[in-house]
Amino acid sequence: MYKIILCAILSFFFLNTAYAGETRNINFAAFQKADKAFEYEPIVLGAFSDFISAMKGSQVLVLAHTADAIDGDVMAVHMDVLRDEKGKFGDFGINCEMIFKDDSTATNPSYMIGGLCKIIRIGRGQDLKLSAIIPQMDVPDTAQGIDAWVMLYEDKQTGIAFYANVSASK
């Protein structure tokens, strides 16, 4: 009986490692509306150039591409402009910490991203500190044949939106 249980445990371990733990690149983008009439799409299909073209009513704030992310990794993206505002500290920026989750099985790839982003606008007459909680959500894997970016969050007040997908590591 002991040998059967041990074989079952080892079989599960080896089957599990056949698909779990494969590295992926996390692709993350932040945009801010430049045209107040511009509307973000929840999903943007197409190659990267199509994605950027679809965002013509906005300006790019951050583009990030990680290498070799695995289940449980944390991606930190920080982009701030800091300055002295007549003796006070000025900060215009975006600070995100996102957790990458790989729930893939042998027949079903499944990747999720969630976390916390802070939108900061302090100085130049503004005093804004927003926390955007991004619940774990499925993101597309471009290696599965569909180039797509999914919106993680949109803040209506600032016009900022976050998008992500994953791609295979080479």
Side-chain angles (χ1 to χ4, degrees):
M1 183 67 170
Y2 174 77
K3 287 182 181 181
I4 293 172
I5 293 172
L6 181 60
C7 286
I9 291 170
L10 289 174
S11 295
F12 176 77
F13 174 75
F14 288 118
L15 286 173
N16 198 26
T17 58
Y19 56 83
E22 290 184 26
T23 61
R24 287 290 182 266
N25 298 316
I26 301 169
N27 305 303
F28 178 82
F31 296 89
Q32 184 171 22
K33 287 184 181 182
D35 175 358
K36 293 200 185 286
F38 177 75
E39 293 293 325
Y40 293 110
E41 295 295 327
I43 298 173
V44 179
L45 297 174
F48 181 71
S49 58
D50 299 320
F51 173 58
I52 295 299
S53 291
M55 297 295 161
K56 282 191 178 173
S58 66
Q59 62 182 348
V60 176
L61 297 179
V62 175
L63 284 174
H65 172 84
T66 69
D68 298 337
I70 59 171
D71 182 43
D73 282 354
V74 175
M75 172 189 71
V77 176
H78 299 264
M79 177 57 84
D80 292 273
V81 174
L82 308 173
R83 71 170 54 140
D84 179 18
E85 296 272 339
K86 298 180 184 172
K88 295 183 181 177
F89 181 72
D91 182 355
F92 270 56
I94 295 171
N95 301 300
C96 297
E97 290 81 30
M98 309 292 284
I99 298 170
F100 174 66
K101 187 76 181 139
D102 180 352
D103 282 339
S104 298
T105 65
T107 58
N108 184 30
S110 176
Y111 305 101
M112 298 189 316
I113 295 175
L116 176 68
C117 288
K118 294 186 179 184
I119 300 168
I120 305 163
R121 302 285 182 263
I122 299 173
R124 295 179 247 161
Q126 296 185 49
D127 187 18
L128 175 71
K129 295 177 196 169
L130 272 171
S131 292
I133 297 170
I134 300 168
Q136 286 284 324
M137 55 190 310
D138 291 315
V139 291
D141 179 7
T142 62
Q144 301 305 311
I146 299 175
D147 284 338
W149 288 76
V150 66
M151 187 188 333
L152 302 174
Y153 180 87
E154 178 184 1
D155 179 65
K156 301 283 187 186
Q157 180 182 352
T158 61
I160 293 175
F162 305 115
Y163 283 83
N165 70 16
V166 298
S167 56
S169 295
K170 295 190 177 158

